Every structure is written in structure tokens, then in C-alpha cells.
Amino acid sequence: MNFSCLTIRVLTFQDLCSPRLDCLRFKTSKFRAPAPLSLTLADTTASPSCPKARPNCCACNKTNKMPIQAKIGPSILNADLANLAAESQKLLDNGADYLHLDVMDGAFVPNLTFGHPMVKCLRNHIKEAFFETHMMVQNPEQWIAPMADAGVNLYTFHVEPVKDVCNVTRKIQEAGMKVGLAIKPGTEVKEIEKYIDVADLVLVMTVEPGFGGQSFMADMMPKVEWLRNNYPNLDIEVDGGVGPKTIDCCAKAGANWIVSGTAVVGSADQRQVISELRNVVKSYLK
């Protein structure tokens, strides 16, 4: 008998201890012994299935009422990039909870901003702040390792250009970052439903990504409402045209992470605007 067509799939110790296993749900926290090794004729080149929800995932457990919090993250897209460290520190000193860093490649969106070298430089000046990169890029997988090395905490990418969302989320987790899933205005929210349980945050764009200063799209709020109704513990972020005049609409729909660019960065009183945005969101949190 010719065995050359058989594929032997053997689980090694490295496989069993792979970081990707931390997103699987076990009944206990203790390590379980693997099943006996076996031969298989299955095609081992097939893409792996999406990882199951992590035990501490905020989105997956509807019955575990972990309180969500109001978070305000100014976008530095309209800041003075020549003085980015000082501008960013000023926002943090004025009450910002995190910094929202818009990364654009000129392909997925018709604009260019900055990449991981500048993020790393910013991290060298600002050691403790929470950094979210909003990856408006055609190939988000390409930049996972560089952004992790640059000190990014939350890696939010658009699902639209990605063929294997599960693979990207897995690599983000293995790189030690949290996972954010972003959708453009034209993308239905249910397009990401099957991935939400392995996400830490979902970003609903309320403008077309690519440029700051656009008008807020109120017709995106049903997406936010659907997410909040179905995933009460999920962190839901909105980005685009959000400020004092539109925050009530966002908070009422269920958004709790608020990206605000022009309204905060360009304000003469950044602290007052940030405080106002946060207080409105808090008023709707249960």
C-alpha cells in the first residue's frame, strides 16, 4: 500500500501552547490533556475556523453584566502633526481617555496620513496612554507586527478589503493587541456579526473614511442600536462628525466609545468639550 498520499497531522507542544488558544472557551481554567494523536486524510491546507469567543470577551456573554464605560478618544488627524507629541499630550491632559490614530494608505481610502514609524515616535514621548490605530488600509495584516512593536493597544481594521477576517483577528491577538472591527457606512452591520464574539470593539463609521471634517450621518445609528440590543456588553465606537451637536444621537443609540476630531482638537476649551461628550454618554449608560 502506498502511504505517500496520506497526511499525518501531529500536534506538537508548541501547537498546544500557542497564544491563539487563549481565545478558546474552556469550562475550567486548567489545561486539558489533548485527544490521542490520529491520522487524517483531511486537507490540512484549509483556512482555520474563526477562534471561539474568549472567556473574558465583553461582547460574547450577554448574561454577564460587565459595565461598559464612556470613553472619549480625540482623533489627531486634524492636529498639528509637526507638534504631534505636544498636541497629543495636551489632549490627554484635558481629559481624553485614549488617542485615536488614523492610518491611511492612499489605496483603501483616497488619502495618506502616517504609519508605524510616527506611532512609535509618539509612543516614545507618551509612555502610558492608550493608543488605538484605525487602520484604513487595503492590507491590514501587513501592519500588525509593526504596529504592535510601535506600542499600539487596540488595532481596529476595516473588514471590507479582508478575505480572511478570522486570520487577521487571530494575528492581532497573538501580537498582544486588542481587536477592533470597523465598517464603512455602506457595509451592513450583520456582515460582521459572526466575528463580534472575538472582537473587543466594533467601530461604526458615521462618515466615509478618508478625510476629517465631514458631516455626521445620523442614518448610521440603527447599526449602533442593533449592536447594543444584541451585544449589551460590547464596546461600540462611532467616528465621524461627532461633537456636542451630535453626541446625544450617538449616546442614545448605544455608543460608548466616542471619536471626536475637529470638535475637540479645534476647540478653545478642549477640557470642556471632552467633559460634555463624556457626560452625555454617561447619562445613557445603564
Side-chain angles (χ1 to χ4, degrees):
M1 180 177 180
N2 184 3
F3 287 91
S4 62
C5 62
L6 292 176
T7 300
I8 300 176
R9 187 173 185 177
V10 179
L11 291 177
T12 66
F13 180 78
Q14 288 182 334
D15 291 326
L16 295 173
C17 297
S18 171
R20 73 184 60 178
L21 291 180
D22 64 0
C23 64
L24 299 178
R25 181 186 285 121
F26 294 107
K27 293 184 179 179
T28 71
S29 60
K30 296 181 179 179
F31 181 78
R32 290 174 178 264
L37 301 180
S38 61
L39 296 174
T40 177
L41 296 176
D43 180 6
T44 59
T45 63
S47 299
S49 59
C50 206
K52 295 180 181 179
R54 291 160 287 177
N56 61 347
C57 175
C58 62
C60 59
N61 193 340
K62 297 182 183 181
T63 61
N64 185 10
K65 293 293 183 179
M66 293 179 289
I68 58 174
Q69 297 180 331
K71 300 287 186 182
I72 310 301
S75 169
I76 63 170
L77 186 61
N78 293 325
D80 180 1
L81 298 184
N83 298 292
L84 186 57
E87 293 263 307
S88 298
Q89 189 61 58
K90 180 182 177 182
L91 289 165
L92 293 165
D93 292 343
N94 283 325
D97 297 293
Y98 65 103
L99 294 178
H100 183 87
L101 312 178
D102 290 304
V103 178
M104 308 180 192
D105 64 355
F108 180 68
V109 293
N111 196 8
L112 284 169
T113 53
F114 49 80
H116 59 92
M118 197 178 82
V119 175
K120 190 168 187 176
C121 287
L122 185 61
R123 176 57 82 194
N124 289 335
H125 287 84
I126 301 176
K127 304 292 186 181
E128 302 298 329
F130 190 95
F131 285 4
E132 177 196 15
T133 49
H134 177 192
M135 304 300 295
M136 290 170 273
V137 298
Q138 192 67 31
N139 184 13
E141 183 179 348
Q142 178 181 358
W143 308 109
I144 293 173
M147 285 300 181
D149 178 68
V152 170
N153 304 102
L154 171 61
Y155 191 93
T156 300
F157 68 97
H158 277 267
V159 300
E160 290 90 357
V162 179
K163 293 182 179 179
D164 191 343
V165 173
C166 293
N167 183 52
V168 176
T169 61
R170 183 177 290 108
K171 289 186 175 182
I172 294 169
Q173 293 168 1
E174 291 175 351
M177 297 181 289
K178 293 182 179 295
V179 176
L181 303 177
I183 54 173
K184 298 166 66 174
T187 303
E188 294 295 330
V189 68
K190 289 196 175 183
E191 291 292 320
I192 59 169
E193 183 177 7
K194 59 186 175 181
Y195 309 120
I196 291 177
D197 283 350
V198 292
D200 295 284
L201 172 144
V202 171
L203 165 57
V204 176
M205 291 299 297
T206 48
V207 297
E208 289 295 338
F211 295 93
Q214 299 182 59
S215 297
F216 176 77
M217 299 171 68
D219 55 347
M220 295 298 106
M221 291 305 98
K223 296 181 182 181
V224 177
E225 292 173 353
W226 185 90
L227 286 167
R228 181 57 66 217
N229 290 336
N230 288 276
Y231 299 91
N233 302 311
L234 175 66
D235 283 321
I236 304 171
E237 186 177 51
V238 288
D239 178 11
V242 182
K245 294 181 179 179
T246 54
I247 185 60
D248 191 79
C249 180
C250 299
K252 185 177 181 180
N256 66 303
W257 280 50
I258 307 299
V259 178
S260 185
T262 306
V264 171
V265 176
S267 173
D269 191 346
Q270 294 180 353
R271 180 176 296 275
Q272 191 277 329
V273 175
I274 291 172
S275 178
E276 179 181 350
L277 297 177
R278 184 183 293 109
N279 288 338
V280 172
V281 175
K282 283 184 174 181
S283 71
Y284 284 99
L285 294 179
K286 298 179 181 179

